[in-house]
Amino acid sequence: AARAGRVDAENERLTGPEAKCRVGDYRLDNARISVCIQAETTFSQMSSAGGNIVDAHLADRPGTDALRELDPAPGLGSVSVDRIGVARDGTEGGAAIIRTEGVAIGSRLIQNVLPGSFVPPAMAVTTEYRLYPDVSEVQILTWIRGVPDAQGQIDWTDLVYFGDSTRLIQPALATGGFENRMPWIAADARDVSYGWRADSGPFAILTVPGLDMPGVPAKIDTPVVRDGDVVLHRRRLTVGGGDVESVRPRPEDGVAVSFNGAMGVRIDIADGEGVPVTRVQLGADGVGRVSLSPGSYAARTFEYAGGDVAVDFEVGEAPVDIQLALPAAGRLRVVLTTGDEVPTAGRVMLSGPADHRLFVVDEQVVGLPPGTYQVVVTRGWHYSAVVEEVDVVADEETRLDAVLTELIPTQGWTSGEFHQHSAPSLDSQVPIETRILSNLAEGVGFMVPSDHDVMEDFGPFVRRMGLDHRIAVPLTGIEVSPLFTHFGAYGATHDPYANAGGAPALSAPVDGFWMSKSVPQLFAEARSMGARLLQINHPRSRAGYFNHASYAPNVDLGSLDPALFSPDFNSVEVFNSRSEFCQVLTDWMGLLNQGLRITGVGNSDTHSVSSPPGYPRNYLPTAAADPALTTAEEIVDAVQNGVLTVGGGAMLDFPDGPIPGDTVTAADGTARLRVRIRTPDFVRIHRLVAFANGAAVLDLPIEGAVESIVDFDQEVEVPIGDGAHVIFLALGDDSLLYVDPGAP
């Protein structure tokens, strides 16, 4: 039987890596699949309302959802859903149905970037999600009613976003202009897979110039619509068990092809032209079965532990049986400890017959093709690097014990990141769990989420992973990302029942037109949401605040257009892009010269796993014995009062005081300070510069061996005249070899 109902309790929510089902949302279930449809509000930064499918998995595989969302999107717009409920609960047999009713409006995502573009006419839109007994697909039926200003060709689009942890497959029929025509699309993860198609036949994949659309905008051919006309669109979402073959339509002339190997092996299959056809995962019996039209094909295993193998084959009229010659894998057990034999976390880079990047917490076993591997183990630059060569033998386990010794202790201080991205950002595919592990592996003490225009609370993820005693996530955060000016807002309240988790929309309809909000308006809105810290990100980039507001260090802040510039921010990201560092450093000193007490910070802005978080990072004091217990109050106070330094491969401090942010007295116009600079044993500092009121007043060369931990430790004299703000800058030419190769 099929059932439809409302989610009334926490234990009724669907779960998994991408799960967004909430109490108050709706579920469709039968013996095969479970699906969640969001109520009137959505977690997403893509649409302005709910009524979209957000979760789906096999009924007997809870915890495996990998679907981001499926949005009905008329004319690349959205639907403002004002009514949703159970139209048929399924208890009388037949289909269970959830129905939504609303009006077509502009997409939140597109209006945030291109206000006024792709705004559909205000058509009435009704969508039904129908699940029949004993099937693995949800039928999606949408009726649109033409209105006087909506006559003509009204394209219907579904925004199909399978999820960052899935692998998309698009079997193209033809390519022309900005449209690639497809008969279906699908995606697979380890334990779940999804397929989408339109009943009307092949559809177009839209490409919008100047707009990086997430997921797949699938446009269905639409007849001309006139006032009062009702047009019906039918689509289907199929849910499978982890491969494309379980969700794709079978060819009418299909021939049975069997692959024989080992349980769990995944195989990609392409035709003779290299166009993807399907994927299959071998079952518990080591066999995977597909249906293929006669022709030439190439099959290749995907991420097989023993090393991937490929085979070309022909399909004729008779069934085909293929035996895969799978090489035996070896196993590498990596055990990480500190110098005092305490288990620790770190990043493990393997290069050899296969390349791997692992974020290991204490201990991990990985399957590998046999052979010799170069292994580099790091925990940021505060710890030693372990560089070894290991031999992995087929059908055997090799153990690597890596001892990571702390080189630069930070008693009383912690380090953290304010700007990095993960899966909630539409331009990042790093799962939240992986992003947390990557920070832990780099020795980052605290991290603050900062995804584009969507707020996510990482706290529950850290607790669920059992890492709340290893890394702190005491603040929620967001990167507000209008076309001009990106800024971080930290400390606002996350609301899972508000659009985009409570993040501000970047535009709004005004007198019938979509208008972008100004940066000062967005500052004020973020403050009203509870944001305690506002941070200007990469201010000299293409989307930079200083460029947008026409700020320069010698420009009077009072002369800037108040519609473009507001001084209501706490920090500026001086160290982000290496190419813009000197300019932004000068900009920051210009703000200080005009009496605006802003804190300089540094962050990685990483969007991938290949770019490490924590380069650079921010140091601030904490009273917690363990950096993982650093509080939100300590972070906020440090940024608001400038009690913070930035390190990118080096740490600079003042062992005899004062601490950064302090005001000191220098009766004779000279400040005398003991400056200490420490680096790991694989890089060194060669120069120390001091600026007073933005002018270089000290420039010392530093000579020393790379192996030295303390590169500089002595008292320096800084002339400050009648008074000055003083900034120290330490520089090194060496690449941050093991941690971030190529980084200065």
Side-chain angles (χ1 to χ4, degrees):
R3 292 288 184 268
R6 188 180 172 97
V7 176
D8 294 320
E10 289 290 323
N11 64 358
E12 294 176 354
R13 298 167 56 189
L14 269 61
T15 57
E18 287 279 4
K20 293 296 179 183
C21 198
R22 309 163 304 190
V23 172
D25 292 340
Y26 292 85
R27 274 182 60 165
L28 288 170
D29 291 85
N30 64 14
R32 295 191 180 185
I33 65 173
S34 298
V35 176
C36 182
I37 299 154
Q38 213 134 59
E40 291 87 345
T41 62
T42 175
F43 79 95
S44 173
Q45 67 270 56
M46 293 190 283
S47 57
S48 300
N52 46 333
I53 296 179
V54 292
D55 300 329
H57 59 59
L58 295 184
D60 60 354
R61 294 189 187 179
T64 62
D65 169 67
L67 181 71
R68 181 67 175 269
E69 61 184 294
L70 193 158
D71 285 342
L76 271 186
S78 184
V79 179
S80 178
V81 172
D82 51 36
R83 191 178 181 205
I84 181 172
V86 177
R88 201 166 184 273
D89 66 8
T91 55
E92 297 180 0
I97 303 174
I98 301 295
R99 179 181 299 150
T100 75
E101 297 175 353
V103 177
I105 62 171
S107 156
R108 177 186 173 109
L109 170 66
I110 295 179
Q111 299 316 308
N112 277 351
V113 180
L114 302 172
S117 303
F118 301 101
V119 179
M123 306 172 293
V125 180
T126 299
T127 294
E128 287 189 353
Y129 300 99
R130 297 181 178 180
L131 179 64
Y132 286 86
D134 226 19
V135 298
S136 299
E137 66 178 19
V138 178
Q139 294 186 18
I140 307 166
L141 288 75
T142 299
W143 293 265
I144 60 173
R145 180 180 294 277
V147 293
D149 60 345
Q151 302 190 59
Q153 198 80 29
I154 308 296
D155 291 333
W156 183 268
T157 304
D158 272 4
L159 183 57
V160 185
Y161 196 170
F162 287 124
D164 289 333
S165 61
T166 66
R167 290 191 302 149
L168 178 67
I169 181 171
Q170 297 183 144
L173 289 175
T175 302
F178 295 118
E179 296 187 356
N180 298 323
R181 297 193 65 79
M182 306 282 169
W184 50 269
I185 51 175
D188 58 340
R190 176 64 68 178
D191 299 304
V192 67
S193 48
Y194 306 104
W196 182 95
R197 69 185 190 276
D199 283 10
S200 57
F203 50 90
I205 304 300
L206 293 186
T207 301
V208 182
L211 184 62
D212 185 16
M213 290 290 291
V216 181
K219 189 191 79 171
I220 302 169
D221 293 336
T222 305
V224 172
V225 180
R226 297 178 178 83
D227 183 15
D229 286 354
V230 176
V231 174
L232 170 63
H233 296 293
R234 294 176 178 267
R235 298 90 73 210
R236 298 169 189 265
L237 176 71
T238 307
V239 184
D243 63 9
V244 171
E245 188 63 16
S246 63
V247 296
R248 76 173 182 120
R250 302 297 192 278
E252 294 182 0
D253 58 349
V255 176
V257 178
S258 299
F259 292 90
N260 300 269
M263 175 183 174
V265 172
R266 295 194 284 174
I267 301 170
D268 294 342
I269 302 169
D271 65 17
E273 302 298 321
V275 177
V277 174
T278 188
R279 298 179 183 137
V280 66
Q281 187 173 28
L282 307 192
D285 58 355
V287 179
R289 298 173 176 85
V290 301
S291 179
L292 299 174
S293 299
S296 300
Y297 296 91
R300 183 179 180 85
T301 58
F302 175 72
E303 293 185 349
Y304 174 62
D308 288 320
V309 298
V311 58
D312 296 332
F313 62 97
E314 298 287 332
V315 175
E317 297 180 358
V320 179
D321 190 73
I322 297 173
Q323 299 291 327
L324 295 173
L326 299 173
R331 298 180 305 281
L332 178 65
R333 180 180 297 273
V334 180
V335 181
L336 305 184
T337 57
T338 60
D340 49 6
E341 299 184 352
V342 175
T344 191
R347 170 167 39 115
V348 180
M349 303 290 291
L350 300 168
S351 58
D355 295 339
H356 285 274
R357 178 189 303 266
L358 307 175
F359 302 120
V360 176
V361 179
D362 303 343
E363 184 175 339
Q364 185 173 330
V365 178
V366 59
L368 295 169
T372 300
Y373 289 83
Q374 293 292 327
V375 185
V376 178
V377 186
T378 57
R379 181 174 165 76
W381 63 76
H382 283 253
Y383 287 77
S384 61
V386 176
V387 182
E388 289 195 19
E389 188 175 274
V390 297
D391 292 318
V392 175
V393 181
D395 292 325
E396 294 184 13
E397 182 173 289
T398 302
R399 180 179 172 117
L400 172 65
D401 288 283
V403 178
L404 298 168
T405 304
E406 188 175 28
L407 303 176
I408 308 175
T410 56
Q411 294 94 340
W413 292 71
T414 185
S415 67
E417 262 262 30
F418 293 100
H419 188 187
Q420 53 184 290
H421 296 275
S422 54
S425 286
L426 299 180
D427 58 358
S428 175
Q429 296 183 335
V430 182
I432 291 175
E433 293 89 345
T434 303
R435 179 54 72 213
I436 292 168
L437 289 173
S438 70
N439 279 266
L440 187 61
E442 300 297 338
V444 173
F446 71 86
M447 60 182 296
V448 182
S450 56
D451 288 306
H452 290 293
D453 303 311
V454 61
M455 197 182 307
E456 184 67 75
D457 184 1
F458 282 21
F461 289 85
V462 172
R463 291 189 289 273
R464 189 163 60 241
M465 296 165 71
L467 298 175
D468 47 321
H469 64 297
R470 309 282 286 265
I471 189 168
V473 192
L475 285 171
T476 54
I478 180 177
E479 184 174 21
V480 184
S481 311
L483 200 56
F484 300 104
T485 300
H486 288 188
F487 68 91
Y490 309 120
T493 301
H494 170 249
D495 182 356
Y497 292 87
N499 286 349
L506 306 183
S507 62
V510 178
D511 297 330
F513 298 94
W514 286 87
M515 303 291 291
S516 294
K517 298 174 185 175
S518 70
V519 173
Q521 285 176 325
L522 289 169
F523 281 1
E525 188 170 344
R527 293 290 192 193
S528 71
M529 294 163 47
R532 303 175 66 187
L533 300 174
L534 297 185
Q535 169 185 291
I536 302 300
N537 292 342
H538 42 73
R540 287 297 178 185
S541 70
R542 183 174 57 86
Y545 185 43
F546 293 164
N547 293 335
H548 176 57
S550 299
Y551 165 74
N554 58 351
V555 170
D556 179 6
L557 297 179
S559 69
L560 299 178
D561 185 347
L564 300 178
F565 181 84
S566 165
D568 184 23
F569 55 94
N570 305 97
S571 58
V572 60
E573 200 171 59
V574 176
F575 193 174
N576 176 318
S577 169
R578 299 158 199 171
S579 63
E580 297 164 4
F581 172 79
C582 290
Q583 174 64 61
V584 182
L585 178 67
T586 308
D587 290 330
W588 176 40
M589 292 189 289
L591 296 174
L592 296 172
N593 281 344
Q594 297 194 52
L596 195 61
R597 188 144 178 174
I598 298 297
T599 299
V601 297
N603 304 291
S604 67
D605 194 10
T606 177
H607 286 65
S608 66
V609 293
S610 60
S611 177
Y615 180 84
R617 65 186 64 184
N618 305 280
Y619 298 97
L620 54 88
T622 177
D626 188 329
L629 302 177
T630 301
T631 66
E633 286 298 328
E634 289 177 315
I635 297 172
V636 171
D637 287 347
V639 175
Q640 288 180 342
N641 296 301
V643 190
L644 180 150
T645 65
V646 178
M651 183 177 180
L652 186 154
D653 63 358
F654 309 92
D656 298 333
I659 63 172
D662 276 354
T663 298
V664 300
T665 300
D668 60 356
T670 300
R672 294 171 178 85
L673 300 165
R674 178 186 166 197
V675 179
R676 178 175 62 174
I677 306 167
R678 289 173 289 173
T679 64
D681 56 9
F682 46 85
V683 295
R684 69 183 182 91
I685 288 294
H686 73 87
R687 184 181 178 194
L688 174 65
V689 184
F691 300 90
N693 288 342
V697 293
L698 180 73
D699 194 342
L700 294 177
I702 297 175
E703 300 292 339
V706 170
E707 295 80 9
S708 299
I709 303 301
V710 179
D711 289 13
F712 185 86
D713 187 356
Q714 64 187 56
E715 183 177 88
V716 299
E717 295 185 349
V718 182
I720 61 170
D722 294 333
H725 59 82
V726 178
I727 295 170
F728 288 92
L729 172 65
L731 299 168
D733 284 335
D734 298 306
S735 164
L736 199 55
L737 183 61
Y738 303 119
V739 177
D740 193 2

